[in-house]
Amino acid sequence: MGNIILTGDRPTGKLHLGHLVGSLRERVKLQDLGNYDEMYIEIADAQATTDNFGNIQKVKDNIIEVALDYLSCGIDPNKCTIFLQSEVPELSDLTFYYMNLVTVARLQRNPTVKQEIIYRDFNNTIPVGFMTYPISQAADITAFDANIIPVGDDQLPMIEQTREIVRSFNRLYGDTLVEPKAVLPQNEACHRLPGTDGQAKMSKSIGNCIYISDSREEVKKKVMSMYTDPNHIKIEDPGKTEGNPVFIYLEAFAEEKHFLEYFKNKETGEVEYKNLDELKAHYERGGLGDMKVKKFLFYVLDTTLEPIREKRKELENNIPEVYQILFDGSDKARKKAQDTLKKVKKAIGLDYRNDQELIQSTIEKYRNNNRQSEN
Ligand code: ATP
Ligand code: MG
């Protein structure tokens, strides 16, 4: 079996820096390496309805935003199939059969779902659809026989749930589904990028994000008001870099070239900080102010985002083409999902039209019954 890559995003907002480092950059890297047979990217609009059923407009509006973000970050529709989840109804059928393989208690134990319920203030009003979304993710993955899933670490419990479903299914109905593996970014700072407010995860639903498509001014404003070490009050105070989002963003984005360009003294040619370790060391011993670090972070982010913004502007003038990419991708994805659903229903034994054995044995059963009653 070859390599089949699948990832996705919920169209609940524009994509943010967490997506860029947690998953998007990995996808582009894998895409450009070319070491795969098929690559699918799902815009999970159906899943997004599970916590936005009262505001479908939000989901609808964000489909194009997510697609624009993909394309401007370098996802190539000639190499990947980008599709809309709701355009592939076979995914719901698969979800339905997988639901029998998961207990309610198992869903309730999922740490990501637990956390998301708190973020969303669901309390005792958790929609069944929301509770079961890890099962629908298993459908999304297995429908395409995907074995490589590049994700941020909040998705690990979902991949684990999928693996369990695959194992249960194959045990019950024979070897049919492929067990996937999560692939995390190499750089640990990218596994779960914190929010600008210092919360553990930058997330669309919390609103603590720097968006990939934010303007230069917006990025500047957000960086300058970012949470840092609350005890680092005066410049001379020793500061903490651990858990400090400004430094975590630098871990995720700053490259050697940024240090060499930004901190080079034009006259002497001397470089004030050659790498992040030097910058961190100064902050930790005191004498380095938040403003100076934030200005550098802004420079790094701006340098990274500027080419993406440019590309996005071009794409924004070609909206019909972008929608067409999604529709063509959805048609292609649907064909594959239809094949998997057929395979799954056959394995379960729900393949009546092609089940000659069933029809034959029923004929014989009634023939025998009637013969006996005649005698
Ligand atoms: P929502 O709040 O609507 O759930 P989200 O910001 O969590 O949105 P998703 O669409 O759920 O984004 O996630 C898409 C992908 O991006 C997943 O692979 C997820 O792991 C990754 N991801 C999301 N946020 C981060 C983050 N802060 N750091 C690293 N990866 C992230
Ligand atoms: Mg999420």
Side-chain angles (χ1 to χ4, degrees):
M1 193 199 63
N3 284 333
I4 301 182
I5 303 167
L6 179 129
T7 51
D9 303 275
R10 295 153 38 89
T12 49
K14 294 178 172 190
L15 299 185
H16 52 63
L17 297 185
H19 297 114
L20 184 59
V21 295
S23 179
L24 270 174
R25 277 202 314 207
E26 297 304 302
R27 297 178 208 179
V28 175
K29 222 189 280 169
L30 287 165
Q31 166 198 282
D32 293 344
L33 274 172
N35 179 24
Y36 64 93
D37 299 291
E38 294 163 53
M39 184 159 172
Y40 295 91
I41 302 185
E42 176 187 89
I43 301 185
D45 60 335
Q47 189 196 112
T49 67
T50 66
D51 54 337
N52 291 285
F53 42 85
N55 190 3
I56 300 296
Q57 192 64 41
K58 172 173 154 190
V59 177
K60 264 166 76 170
D61 289 345
N62 280 302
I63 283 167
I64 196 75
E65 298 300 336
V66 171
L68 287 168
D69 285 332
Y70 286 164
L71 300 171
S72 53
C73 286
I75 298 283
D76 179 350
N78 296 311
K79 295 180 180 165
C80 312
T81 304
I82 309 174
F83 70 97
L84 296 167
Q85 187 184 19
S86 66
E87 287 279 309
V88 186
E90 287 71 20
L91 298 173
S92 314
D93 277 23
L94 290 173
T95 305
F96 190 81
Y97 297 117
Y98 297 168
M99 281 195 194
N100 303 327
L101 308 177
V102 182
T103 64
V104 172
R106 174 67 183 88
L107 286 177
Q108 285 169 334
R109 273 203 312 273
N110 184 314
T112 302
V113 175
K114 268 193 200 163
Q115 189 56 54
E116 288 177 336
I117 286 169
I118 297 170
Y119 282 156
R120 286 163 180 73
D121 264 339
F122 276 145
N123 298 313
N124 289 325
T125 59
I126 309 164
V128 173
F130 185 81
M131 210 55 213
T132 57
Y133 91 75
I135 305 177
S136 92
Q137 275 189 218
D140 301 340
I141 294 170
T142 54
F144 300 96
D145 292 331
N147 57 339
I148 298 175
I149 321 291
V151 283
D153 75 359
D154 62 308
Q155 290 301 307
L156 293 180
M158 307 305 162
I159 311 298
E160 191 45 43
Q161 178 71 82
T162 301
R163 290 162 63 85
E164 286 174 27
I165 289 173
V166 168
R167 288 198 287 263
S168 302
F169 189 100
N170 289 349
R171 202 168 41 239
L172 268 171
Y173 304 121
D175 211 4
T176 313
L177 303 176
V178 176
E179 219 175 297
K181 181 171 91 216
V183 177
L184 291 171
Q186 256 181 3
N187 181 344
E188 214 172 299
C190 303
H191 289 190
R192 185 180 302 214
L193 202 74
T196 48
D197 57 356
Q199 283 207 60
K201 182 176 176 285
M202 182 179 284
S203 163
K204 296 184 226 107
S205 304
I206 309 177
N208 53 3
C209 308
I210 296 178
Y211 295 98
I212 296 171
S213 53
D214 272 350
S215 69
R216 172 170 286 157
E217 293 67 37
E218 280 165 325
V219 175
K220 191 167 197 176
K221 213 164 101 194
K222 288 181 183 176
V223 169
M224 292 310 162
S225 53
M226 259 178 85
Y227 175 92
T228 60
D229 172 6
N231 298 317
H232 184 245
I233 299 161
K234 289 196 258 48
I235 292 183
E236 314 80 77
D237 292 340
K240 258 178 76 176
T241 57
E242 212 187 284
N244 183 333
V246 174
F247 282 92
I248 299 175
Y249 289 13
L250 285 175
E251 292 271 8
F253 287 97
E255 297 167 34
E256 197 186 2
K257 65 170 189 203
H258 295 129
F259 286 91
L260 299 184
E261 278 163 23
Y262 187 84
F263 288 118
K264 191 171 184 167
N265 184 312
K266 297 255 162 14
E267 275 137 43
T268 62
E270 229 170 87
V271 181
E272 194 178 4
Y273 306 98
K274 286 187 223 51
N275 51 47
L276 190 54
D277 286 342
E278 290 184 13
L279 193 73
K280 273 182 170 175
H282 194 184
Y283 191 81
E284 282 167 2
R285 69 174 179 266
L288 175 58
D290 280 336
M291 264 310 142
K292 186 161 173 175
V293 188
K294 284 181 170 178
K295 279 186 182 158
F296 176 55
L297 174 62
F298 168 66
Y299 161 80
V300 171
L301 292 181
D302 193 48
T303 315
T304 309
L305 296 177
E306 186 50 24
I308 300 177
R309 272 187 217 121
E310 286 294 309
K311 181 90 200 282
R312 202 180 206 275
K313 249 185 247 143
E314 268 171 46
L315 291 159
E316 285 169 359
N317 290 321
N318 286 315
I319 295 296
E321 227 171 85
V322 180
Y323 273 114
Q324 200 53 50
I325 289 172
L326 300 182
F327 298 145
D328 292 346
S330 299
D331 290 340
K332 192 169 162 205
R334 185 162 188 203
K335 287 209 181 79
K336 175 107 185 195
Q338 279 169 336
D339 289 345
T340 304
L341 181 62
K342 267 194 207 136
K343 209 166 62 177
V344 160
K345 287 180 76 172
K346 186 158 187 258
I348 298 177
L350 302 175
D351 180 33
Y352 312 119
R353 286 169 195 261
N354 298 306
D355 198 339
Q356 282 311 315
E357 206 184 307
L358 173 76
I359 298 171
Q360 206 51 46
S361 66
T362 314
I363 294 171
E364 272 159 34
K365 185 176 92 183
Y366 279 102
R367 200 180 278 152
N368 287 341
N369 279 356
N370 290 341
R371 217 178 274 147
Q372 272 166 15
S373 60
E374 276 164 23
N375 288 339

